[in-house]
Amino acid sequence: MKFRSRSYAVFAISNHVFLSLLGVLCVLPLIHVLAVSFSSRAAATANIVNFWPVGFTLDAYAKTLANEKFLKAMWIGAERTILGTVVSMAVITMASYSLSKTSLRFPGRQVYTWLFVFTMLFSGGLIPSYIVISKLHLLDTIWSLVLPGAVSVWNMILMLNFFRTIPQDLEEAALIDGAGHLRVLWSVFLPVSMPSIATLSLFTMVGHWNSWFDGVIYMSKPDGYPLASYLHSMIVSDNLSRIGVSAESIANFSNRTVKAAQIFIGALPILMVYPFLQKYFVKGIVLGSVKS
Amino acid sequence: MASYWRKTWPFHLLVLPALILCIIFQYIPLFGVVIAFQDYQPWLGIKKSAWVGLTHFHTLFQYPDSKQVIWNTLIIASFKLVINLFVPIIFALLLNEVVKTYFKRILQTLVYLPHFLSWVILGGIMIDILSTDGGIVNRLIEALGGQSIFFLGDGSWFRVTVVISDVWKEFGFSAIIFLATLVGINPALYEAAEIDGATRWQQVIHISVPLILPIVIVVATLSLGRILDAGFDQILNLYNPLVYSHGDIIDTFVYRVGLNNGQFSFGTAVGLFKSVIGFILIIVSYRLAYKLANYRIF
């Protein structure tokens, strides 16, 4: 298509300019924080850093990575992300396999489906959930961060819709050859659905890495905080006393360059998986939302 | 019956782990909402705590704070709803006019990014760039001759900041669904219009806009169902005691009063009130989306 009118050419140019500005605006804050993290403390305090480091130094990163509490929180964050993703994907994949069958082959399927969907609409809320988790003695364990959110009904729907697109012949051939359903799921469905499993896993990983609230409420001691919760109490909320740090380290943390370095390290895993994520999510989103 | 089980047991078995987790962490807490009608004491437990009927709900409606909280929730959420609908649509329409694929792709990479960063990270960034003490935004305002603004400490500015930063984070990602629809429009329609002498502007108004309208209706009605969710995650990461009066929403209020101050029953009552209204709204909005645009979850 070509649009040769003069006014359209003017529009096209200003459109490109406007959209470029918009795009830059989306990452500019991040670039600023990155510049602050690489700047000298004096430059940051004097407010002269814009989008390029002033007095380049890795000091803030050295301080952050020498901080044992930060490293511990990072470790717990990584642990919950891996454990949480594995548990969640395993449980979801198994359930989706069954729920993707036709009602003829798996009568009773609707009952399960509605049991799951109902939880999307109505939940007990914050305090009853907290009570259940404390009654199960899961407080202060990593399981309180992994299990409650493991069944993502939304991901289950995406998964089962994908399973439905797998030709039935494939499954029947395997069943005739004497494979059980577990075997079919493992050796036929999983290899075929690798792209969608990868997509959902990436989303689940990002979700776990980013989630901080459950860490704050289910961990009584900040020692058990995953990185996101740690960052929340360090950078965002002012209850430093809960972390139990000395006056000297408070001075260190209130240091803008160190804060910036912590923010950036917290965002780094996301920035690293983002390129892989981007390849898939458009398809996933559209598959999930547009069904008419 | 026996043959039913013999044929279907593997299916039941595979659903079981998800079902167990769902029952423990979703259904059992549902029964826990009875503490909204009790004076729940953790050391007594649900069985021994005293029943108080609707007392907490009376308190909810008499407490001046709760009216303010409900009002805050509605006002923040409705502004978000409207702006989060129009900005992505306009962005999608503008981006659809871009012909060069590489430009499109780079731009999309940039605008989707904030969606994947958590509010902890972005909250930290916002607090830094918006501070009155040399934050880059205020430095810019001052350089342009303006007065520096206490974005996160002044009640009315706080709401503006919450709405704008939310749009900033999500507009690109929300546009995906509109973009997908626009890309799916048959090019023959535009070509035919072109031959009939329609300008590009007329093509947008008469082809693009009408064809994304059904999706717009679905998105709008579905988000109406979540009008009570004004952004717990975001607000908890941005606010401070200075702006509780303007920035406290139902969810943050439940957290502050319920968990932090230990008023478990009152917090649950507020949460239950919100859940029930929210549940009704979601059902209504799904019905509406089905009626207006034939949308279904399955």
Side-chain angles (χ1 to χ4, degrees):
Chain A
M1 282 184 284
K2 279 182 191 149
F3 312 104
R4 267 158 295 180
S5 83
R6 222 188 115 100
S7 58
Y8 188 78
V10 172
F11 163 77
I13 293 169
S14 34
N15 189 25
H16 277 75
V17 172
F18 174 73
L19 289 176
S20 310
L21 286 176
L22 214 56
V24 170
L25 196 67
C26 284
V27 285
L28 221 46
L30 204 64
I31 293 174
H32 171 66
V33 169
L34 191 60
V36 170
S37 75
F38 283 121
S39 297
S40 72
R41 197 173 166 173
T45 324
N47 299 319
I48 52 172
V49 184
N50 292 325
F51 301 105
W52 196 255
V54 178
F56 183 90
T57 165
L58 291 173
D59 206 30
Y61 288 91
K63 266 193 193 124
T64 305
L65 295 175
N67 175 1
E68 266 172 47
K69 291 197 170 175
F70 185 87
L71 293 179
K72 173 121 194 271
M74 206 153 90
W75 169 246
I76 295 172
E79 200 184 351
R80 84 164 280 187
T81 302
I82 295 166
L83 196 62
T85 307
V86 170
V87 169
S88 183
M89 289 308 294
V91 166
I92 285 172
T93 318
M94 290 197 289
S96 311
Y97 176 80
S98 296
L99 297 181
S100 70
K101 303 296 165 219
T102 57
S103 300
L104 205 65
R105 296 189 49 209
F106 181 26
R109 188 185 73 86
Q110 276 97 339
V111 178
Y112 287 119
T113 313
W114 280 112
L115 276 171
F116 288 122
V117 170
F118 182 74
T119 64
M120 280 173 106
L121 301 175
F122 210 76
S123 73
L126 182 57
I127 293 154
S129 304
Y130 178 84
I131 294 174
V132 167
I133 286 168
S134 86
K135 283 274 174 353
L136 292 171
H137 300 285
L138 292 180
L139 290 182
D140 288 318
T141 68
I142 196 127
W143 298 107
S144 66
L145 309 178
V146 167
L147 295 179
V151 185
S152 155
V153 179
W154 182 243
N155 287 353
M156 213 150 92
I157 294 172
L158 290 180
M159 196 78 209
L160 80 87
N161 275 326
F162 185 82
F163 280 164
R164 282 197 181 144
T165 64
I166 297 174
Q168 276 209 356
D169 304 353
L170 224 62
E171 182 190 342
E172 262 146 35
L175 285 176
I176 288 166
D177 286 347
H181 281 285
L182 271 172
R183 177 90 212 188
V184 173
L185 171 59
W186 185 257
S187 328
V188 179
F189 274 55
L190 285 194
V192 177
S193 355
M194 243 19 219
S196 55
I197 290 178
T199 317
L200 293 183
S201 303
L202 281 171
F203 272 108
T204 313
M205 278 161 85
V206 170
H208 269 290
W209 182 257
N210 278 344
S211 84
W212 58 277
F213 183 65
D214 46 1
V216 171
I217 56 174
Y218 297 140
M219 296 293 159
S220 57
K221 286 184 295 282
D223 286 349
Y225 279 10
L227 189 61
S229 314
Y230 176 90
L231 287 178
H232 170 77
S233 23
M234 268 309 167
I235 293 165
V236 175
S237 79
D238 33 358
N239 29 359
L240 278 170
S241 53
R242 280 188 67 184
I243 297 277
V245 284
S246 63
E248 184 208 357
S249 45
I250 288 181
N252 246 337
F253 290 124
S254 57
N255 178 348
R256 263 179 73 198
T257 60
V258 176
K259 273 190 184 176
Q262 292 186 330
I263 289 175
F264 188 72
I265 295 175
L268 199 59
I270 306 288
L271 298 176
M272 278 171 5
V273 299
Y274 182 59
F276 302 99
L277 203 62
Q278 211 204 345
K279 264 210 314 224
Y280 295 116
F281 66 67
V282 175
K283 237 190 246 159
I285 290 287
V286 175
L287 182 83
S289 332
V290 196
K291 293 220 53 233
S292 46
Chain B
M1 201 62 210
S3 90
Y4 171 78
W5 281 109
R6 205 169 51 238
K7 272 187 194 152
T8 58
W9 71 264
F11 297 140
H12 292 282
L13 190 73
L14 287 168
V15 178
L16 201 61
L19 191 68
I20 291 173
L21 285 175
C22 211
I23 288 172
I24 296 177
F25 295 107
Q26 304 290 334
Y27 283 95
I28 296 179
L30 274 185
F31 295 105
V33 298
V34 298
I35 69 170
F37 307 96
Q38 288 185 325
D39 186 15
Y40 178 76
Q41 305 293 346
W43 57 90
L44 291 175
I46 291 177
K47 277 182 201 147
K48 287 184 190 155
S49 292
W51 291 91
V52 295
L54 295 174
T55 315
H56 296 301
F57 293 91
H58 285 297
T59 322
L60 168 65
F61 292 111
Q62 278 153 11
Y63 210 34
D65 274 14
S66 26
K67 276 186 199 131
Q68 181 69 45
V69 164
I70 293 168
W71 173 243
N72 290 345
T73 309
L74 287 176
I75 194 147
I76 293 175
S78 10
F79 270 101
K80 277 188 179 176
L81 197 156
V82 174
I83 300 176
N84 273 330
L85 190 64
F86 284 105
V87 175
I89 294 172
I90 293 166
F91 173 69
L93 286 171
L94 289 179
L95 192 65
N96 195 45
E97 296 301 305
V98 171
V99 187
K100 293 195 182 71
T101 325
Y102 71 90
F103 180 82
K104 241 182 183 165
R105 206 166 286 156
I106 295 172
L107 196 67
Q108 281 168 306
T109 306
L110 295 178
V111 297
Y112 296 158
L113 181 63
H115 170 81
F116 291 97
L117 297 170
S118 70
W119 271 118
V120 174
I121 301 289
L122 294 179
I125 295 178
M126 292 286 158
I127 290 169
D128 184 84
I129 65 174
L130 296 177
S131 89
T132 41
D133 173 32
I136 192 163
V137 174
N138 273 321
R139 271 192 280 143
L140 182 73
I141 291 173
E142 278 167 9
L144 294 173
Q147 277 276 315
S148 91
I149 296 168
F150 198 5
F151 288 100
L152 296 172
D154 176 309
S156 37
W157 274 110
F158 180 78
R159 283 182 187 157
V160 175
T161 313
V162 163
V163 173
I164 292 181
S165 58
D166 188 58
V167 174
W168 170 79
K169 185 179 193 284
E170 302 296 346
F171 84 92
F173 202 74
S174 320
I176 288 181
I177 182 166
F178 303 121
L179 272 171
T181 318
L182 286 171
V183 169
I185 295 177
N186 188 352
L189 288 174
Y190 292 109
E191 278 156 26
E194 179 99 5
I195 291 166
D196 288 347
T199 63
R200 188 63 200 162
W201 173 249
Q202 285 169 327
Q203 293 173 30
V204 170
I205 294 300
H206 296 291
I207 300 173
S208 308
V209 172
L211 283 173
I212 57 168
L213 207 61
I215 297 292
V216 173
I217 292 170
V218 169
V219 173
T221 43
L222 293 187
S223 52
L224 205 61
R226 267 173 267 115
I227 191 92
L228 293 183
D229 295 322
F232 175 70
D233 214 1
Q234 178 194 18
I235 289 179
L236 213 58
N237 274 304
L238 287 178
Y239 85 164
N240 53 66
L242 285 177
V243 288
Y244 281 167
S245 61
H246 286 67
D248 222 2
I249 55 169
I250 300 176
D251 292 322
T252 53
F253 184 68
V254 170
Y255 171 60
R256 257 180 350 104
V257 175
L259 268 185
N260 280 1
N261 299 352
Q263 298 185 45
F264 293 107
S265 284
F266 181 65
T268 306
V270 181
L272 180 62
F273 165 75
K274 189 207 154 198
S275 289
V276 171
I277 307 277
F279 182 68
I280 296 168
L281 284 174
I282 286 180
I283 298 296
V284 170
S285 75
Y286 271 83
R287 279 272 155 96
L288 216 59
Y290 179 60
K291 246 193 157 150
L292 294 175
N294 215 8
Y295 172 87
R296 281 183 229 224
I297 340 178
F298 298 108

